[in-house]
Amino acid sequence: MNHCVVGLQWGDEGKGKVVDILAEHSDVVVRYGGGANAGHTVVVGDTRFALHLLPSGSVRPKAICVIANGVVVDPEVLGTEIDTLAQKGISLDGRLFISENAHVVLDYHKREDQLSEESLGKNKLGTTVRGIGPCYADKVGRSHALRMGDLGNLEELKTKLQTIVEYKNKLFAALYNAEPMSADAIFEKCESYAGRFLPYVTDTTEFLHKSIAEGKSILFEGAQGSLLDLDHGTFPFVTSSNSSALGMPAGCGVPAKWVDKFIGVVKAYTTRVGAGPFPVEQDNDIGRYIRDKGNEYGTTTGRPRRCGWFDAVAVSYSVTIGAIDSVALLHLDTLSGLKELKICRAYNINGQEKTFFPANTARLAQASPVYQTLPGWDQDISEVRDFQDLPVNARDYVCRIEELIDRPVTIIGVGPKRAQTIFRH
Ligand code: GDP
Ligand code: IMO
Ligand code: MG
């Protein structure tokens, strides 16, 4: 069986935990999009791993890990991540494969991300400042792009870098009055990246198709969330890749047809980091309760996450565009203790009820949520392992979500640890 795990909200749904669980029965785990803007948390026993570029399956010592062509690789972050795992006794030797076509995030991308955000002031997008947008822009623009495979020809790379850095310096000076960057310093870093990472660089498309032909079980790990998708999300408050399920085939060269099941991940409520419309946001005591109880602070940037009620309109949209088969609903434990819970079942836009999510930001800004209110529960549910043992109000809450999104909830999270999981169906 091949599975693809994808976020159905604005990221941070708990994909890391779900991938880690499914990786137990997978041979190969593949990251196919985004870059070090992602922060995927896996908790094994008392050890917490925060993964940015390596697939979350990497903490399973036997899993083969692939970083496919759709990922933008920051070699500095990757190196740190590999070292951190090694310190915890987990080696990637012989089981990491990086696409030669994956683009490289370099210092000038991170600098441009920062300069651009600063220059926008209150209109900034609230990016993670990891150089993601500028790197994907170079990929699409082609003339100033570098890929992991380019590390294999340092002489050519040196010449290319001179041209690129000269171009970037002119641009940054003109637009932001910024100090020039040194092409030589960046080249020196690339030399060390080549020494360290070339042994892992290969044609991952060929590798994945061979693995499929051999009957291996592949797990594809989405980053970000469907509503941050460059084409189908809440543009311009999105990331720079196709982070919905639609991005999976292009991001790794494997057609969606070879995926047996697309598993969507949601929280039992909604969060969002960075700017952009968020109809169900609770900028009040409810939002603060969820943030404190759910520890809703960014894994990558530490920023407090904006919190709100579960939005069935938004999730149904992600389910539809992603042909999602089943859903993992995490953080149900975080809602314990709230007297009543609300689920957004429709939007009111100019006096009309709509249930199809308007990804258009201007229309979304006019949407006011139409809520259904359900009773909450008081009990601590973090030790529950069987659906029938949940308080009846918690079961009803899950079942109402299933009805509204028209998909079964097959995995329920009641805490960050592996064992704090309920399996259904
Ligand atoms: P990802 O980016 O989708 O992998 O999600 P993050 O790792 O950024 O954020 C999810 C956070 O919720 C992490 O701190 C997880 O350890 C934690 N988490 C995951 N599932 C659950 C759950 O069911 N309950 C609670 N309380 N925490 C969870
Ligand atoms: P995971 O994989 C939550 C958000 C940023 C910002 C917007 C653009 O952990 O779910 P970018 O740096 O990509 O140009 O920022 O996208 N964003 C995320 N939000 N989780 C993520 O990843 C995110 N990756 C990007 O906060 O609003
Ligand atoms: Mg995250």
Side-chain angles (χ1 to χ4, degrees):
M1 288 280 271
N2 300 326
H3 292 102
C4 179
V5 170
V6 58
L8 301 184
Q9 295 163 320
W10 278 282
D12 301 326
E13 298 90 348
K15 299 174 292 292
K17 173 173 167 165
V18 175
V19 167
D20 170 57
I21 289 171
L22 297 177
E24 188 182 359
H25 303 291
S26 307
D27 301 304
V28 182
V29 188
V30 187
R31 261 289 299 272
Y32 60 81
N37 48 351
H40 297 177
T41 314
V42 177
V43 183
V44 184
D46 292 327
T47 312
R48 182 179 173 276
F49 298 88
L51 299 152
H52 303 287
L53 281 165
L54 289 171
S56 301
S58 56
V59 306
R60 302 258 181 200
K62 284 193 194 136
I64 304 274
C65 297
V66 173
I67 297 178
N69 57 280
V71 178
V72 286
V73 179
D74 181 337
E76 228 149 84
V77 176
L78 183 61
T80 309
E81 217 161 292
I82 293 173
D83 292 345
T84 308
L85 284 196
Q87 281 158 15
K88 292 177 176 168
I90 300 171
S91 165
L92 268 299
D93 282 351
R95 63 182 185 105
L96 175 62
F97 298 86
I98 305 172
S99 170
E100 58 195 351
N101 294 347
H103 284 248
V104 191
V105 177
L106 292 167
D107 285 346
Y108 48 79
H109 293 125
K110 289 179 261 192
R111 185 98 178 95
E112 185 174 351
D113 203 349
Q114 181 203 353
L115 290 167
S116 164
E117 283 285 270
E118 280 170 8
S119 75
L120 287 167
K122 68 174 178 38
N123 293 323
K124 69 179 182 180
L125 299 174
T127 74
T128 58
V129 206
R130 295 298 187 270
I132 305 300
C135 185
Y136 277 117
D138 279 347
K139 171 177 175 173
V140 176
R142 297 155 297 161
S143 334
H144 298 105
L146 288 175
R147 310 203 283 186
M148 288 304 285
D150 291 325
L151 295 173
N153 187 339
L154 285 173
E155 218 169 292
E156 214 172 273
L157 182 95
K158 191 169 190 175
T159 318
K160 272 191 189 171
L161 260 180
Q162 294 291 352
T163 314
I164 296 171
V165 176
E166 193 183 324
Y167 169 83
K168 299 278 179 190
N169 279 341
K170 279 188 194 156
L171 205 67
F172 297 173
L175 292 176
Y176 310 114
N177 200 21
E179 292 292 309
M181 303 185 78
S182 153
D184 288 342
I186 297 173
F187 177 70
E188 271 174 38
K189 285 191 180 182
C190 286
E191 277 182 312
S192 78
Y193 300 152
R196 176 147 198 204
F197 296 112
L198 270 180
Y200 300 113
V201 173
T202 186
D203 181 339
T204 52
T205 307
E206 181 181 6
F207 176 78
L208 287 173
H209 281 279
K210 273 191 178 155
S211 302
I212 290 169
E214 288 165 8
K216 298 258 167 66
S217 157
I218 323 268
L219 176 58
F220 299 92
E221 174 177 354
Q224 288 79 50
S226 304
L227 303 172
L228 288 171
D229 186 291
L230 179 61
D231 287 279
H232 305 284
T234 50
F235 189 89
F237 303 104
V238 292
T239 190
S240 299
S241 60
N242 288 119
S243 54
S244 69
L246 293 162
M248 177 251 144
C252 64
V254 176
K257 197 174 169 176
W258 299 134
V259 177
D260 299 286
K261 272 202 155 75
F262 278 89
I263 299 167
V265 188
V266 294
K267 276 176 185 155
Y269 45 91
T270 317
T271 63
R272 168 161 214 176
V273 233
F278 185 12
V280 292
E281 181 167 20
Q282 298 299 302
D283 191 8
N284 52 31
D285 284 348
I286 302 275
R288 276 187 290 279
Y289 182 89
I290 294 174
R291 184 179 308 125
D292 291 348
K293 190 132 186 281
N295 192 24
E296 291 296 353
Y297 294 88
T299 309
T300 299
T301 57
R303 290 179 290 177
R305 294 174 181 150
R306 300 159 67 193
C307 300
W309 296 119
F310 187 86
D311 188 339
V313 179
V315 171
S316 296
Y317 169 74
S318 303
V319 161
T320 303
I321 63 167
I324 298 299
D325 295 290
S326 65
V327 167
L329 180 89
L330 300 186
H331 275 272
L332 189 63
D333 54 301
T334 300
L335 295 181
S336 296
L338 286 169
K339 259 203 170 44
E340 49 184 36
L341 304 171
K342 292 187 180 182
I343 300 178
C344 170
R345 58 163 188 82
Y347 289 160
N348 185 319
I349 302 178
N350 298 327
Q352 282 198 319
E353 265 196 26
K354 291 260 306 176
T355 51
F356 196 89
F357 181 79
N360 176 288
T361 308
R363 267 188 290 139
L364 187 59
Q366 292 169 356
S368 55
V370 180
Y371 288 116
Q372 171 177 2
T373 304
L374 284 88
W377 59 91
D378 270 334
Q379 297 93 320
D380 173 3
I381 59 169
S382 59
E383 298 307 319
V384 175
R385 299 293 177 264
D386 193 321
F387 187 67
Q388 292 313 321
D389 295 336
L390 284 172
V392 62
N393 289 351
R395 275 183 274 144
D396 287 350
Y397 183 75
V398 174
C399 293
R400 184 62 185 133
I401 287 177
E402 281 183 318
E403 270 169 25
L404 285 167
I405 65 173
D406 196 23
R407 288 298 183 279
V409 170
T410 53
I411 297 174
I412 297 171
V414 290
K417 294 185 177 172
R418 271 180 187 166
Q420 291 178 305
T421 310
I422 297 171
F423 297 93
R424 288 172 79 211
H425 304 293

